[in-house]
Amino acid sequence: MSDRLALVTGASSGIGYWLARELGSRGYDLVVCSAGERLENAKSDFASLGVQVKDVTADLSTRDGVEELWNAVETLGRPLDVACLNAGIGVGGLFWETDLEQELEMVELNCVGTVQLAKYVIQHMRPLGAGKVLFTASIAGEMVAPREAVYAATKAFVLSFAHSVRYELRDTGITVTALQPGPTDTDFFHRAGMDNTEVGAKGKKESQPQDVAKQGIDALFAGDDHVYAASGKTKMEGMLANAIPGSVKGAMHEKMARPKDEK
Ligand SMILES: NC(=O)c1ccc[n+]([C@@H]2O[C@H](COP(=O)([O-])OP(=O)(O)OC[C@H]3O[C@@H](n4cnc5c(N)ncnc54)[C@H](OP(=O)(O)O)[C@@H]3O)[C@@H](O)[C@H]2O)c1
């Protein structure tokens, strides 16, 4: 058993899988969570790194699911050193055409579940006077994002939340870092119904999830407030995000997120 423990949500695939691998390879025992069956295979991969792994299958878009995950952490009776609040989904399409229920479920997972879990994590770390928390936001949180309007708003929420909580915790020994990936080669765009878009295809080329995760964990351990990850293009877009007019950001995003067969 290691003397250090980390929690990673959305660890069955994509960025979360690689965040957990990165932490496992740095000697952290792991609590990993996702909602589906894929977590079992991921758990074996993490355990092969020689650390202890507790897997929790829970739907983090529900209050009960988040509570179930936190109960599992508490049952271990160990201090939690690192928490990566990463689980998230997207919904692509024009707002007046997208499915409301899907969007509300996304808000429940990306925003409500994240706040609920962060509350438990930070209230746990506060008396310990130590801890590192990583929130997976997105570069989309600083964009004007037609055809991902609600998704981008959830990530703006996570980003603002992370920055504000970081400031509140500045003298406590707990650091908060926002991971801001650009388009990354994961299941994300497929799940969001965006296979037939430039950004859906671009994610496959622009950044790999292992690079995003590595940069996220490096920033977390450096105590940085945020990191744009992973490609040079994503870093450049992130740095220019506040300088580019909203109309230009909207046009850039519209081009990437419009279905290819739509004129
Ligand atoms: N890919 C990108 O281009 C990109 C860019 C910027 C930000 N991000 C953010 O990165 C994070 C990870 O996404 P990804 O790209 O790695 O996509 P992904 O491969 O689809 O991973 C999403 C993870 O979240 C889990 N998950 C989904 N719904 C859940 C629920 N209701 N309860 C618990 N877990 C749930 C999934 O697990 P199961 O499906 O196995 O349940 C999976 O482990 C998200 O927050 C996303 O917004 C992604």
Side-chain angles (χ1 to χ4, degrees):
M1 186 168 95
S2 161
D3 58 352
R4 289 166 297 169
L5 181 66
L7 165 67
V8 181
T9 70
S12 65
S13 75
I15 296 166
Y17 173 89
W18 288 100
L19 289 171
R21 276 194 70 132
E22 187 66 34
L23 288 161
S25 65
R26 295 182 190 212
Y28 281 76
D29 286 340
L30 298 168
V31 180
V32 291
C33 174
S34 79
E37 290 162 3
R38 294 185 297 177
L39 192 60
E40 216 163 295
N41 286 339
K43 181 190 178 183
S44 316
D45 292 353
F46 305 145
S48 71
L49 299 169
V51 295
Q52 287 195 353
V53 186
K54 167 81 186 155
D55 58 322
V56 183
T57 303
D59 180 352
L60 300 180
S61 69
T62 68
R63 300 278 168 95
D64 287 351
V66 176
E67 209 147 303
E68 192 183 329
L69 170 59
W70 187 250
N71 286 340
V73 173
E74 286 206 311
T75 302
L76 296 176
R78 297 175 55 179
L80 183 65
D81 302 286
V82 168
C84 298
L85 282 68
N86 164 81
I89 52 172
V91 175
L94 293 166
F95 180 64
W96 71 81
E97 292 176 353
T98 42
D99 181 69
L100 178 61
E101 284 311 314
Q102 274 186 319
E103 281 170 334
L104 294 181
E105 187 195 335
M106 173 174 65
V107 172
E108 290 289 342
L109 177 65
N110 296 9
C111 300
V112 180
T114 298
V115 170
Q116 188 187 351
L117 184 57
K119 179 74 82 181
Y120 300 150
V121 165
I122 288 167
Q123 286 185 340
H124 168 90
M125 288 177 172
R126 187 70 187 85
L128 301 172
K132 296 182 192 311
V133 184
L134 185 75
F135 289 97
T136 304
S138 171
I139 196 169
E142 293 181 85
M143 289 295 146
V144 172
R147 299 179 190 252
E148 286 186 284
V150 181
Y151 170 71
T154 69
K155 292 295 161 176
F157 177 98
V158 173
L159 190 60
S160 166
F161 176 55
H163 284 321
S164 301
V165 174
R166 174 185 171 86
Y167 191 84
E168 289 181 0
L169 292 168
R170 67 195 177 286
D171 295 323
T172 65
I174 302 165
T175 60
V176 175
T177 302
L179 172 58
Q180 293 186 257
T184 303
D185 186 4
T186 69
D187 293 346
F188 176 85
F189 292 105
H190 177 66
R191 274 181 95 151
M194 297 179 73
D195 280 334
N196 185 28
T197 63
E198 190 184 306
V199 71
K202 192 178 165 196
K204 304 238 174 307
K205 288 182 248 136
E206 196 166 313
S207 293
Q208 291 306 309
Q210 52 270 48
D211 300 329
V212 171
K214 167 88 170 53
Q215 291 185 15
I217 297 297
D218 284 346
L220 180 74
F221 282 97
D224 295 343
D225 64 344
H226 78 286
V227 59
Y228 298 115
S231 71
K233 185 161 185 286
T234 291
K235 289 182 191 301
M236 182 65 77
E237 281 172 2
M239 282 189 296
L240 293 175
N242 290 325
I244 302 174
S247 57
V248 175
K249 289 198 276 194
M252 281 163 57
H253 202 278
E254 164 74 15
K255 182 174 172 293
M256 289 196 308
R258 184 195 303 133
K260 286 177 185 163
D261 47 13
E262 197 181 303
K263 294 292 161 215

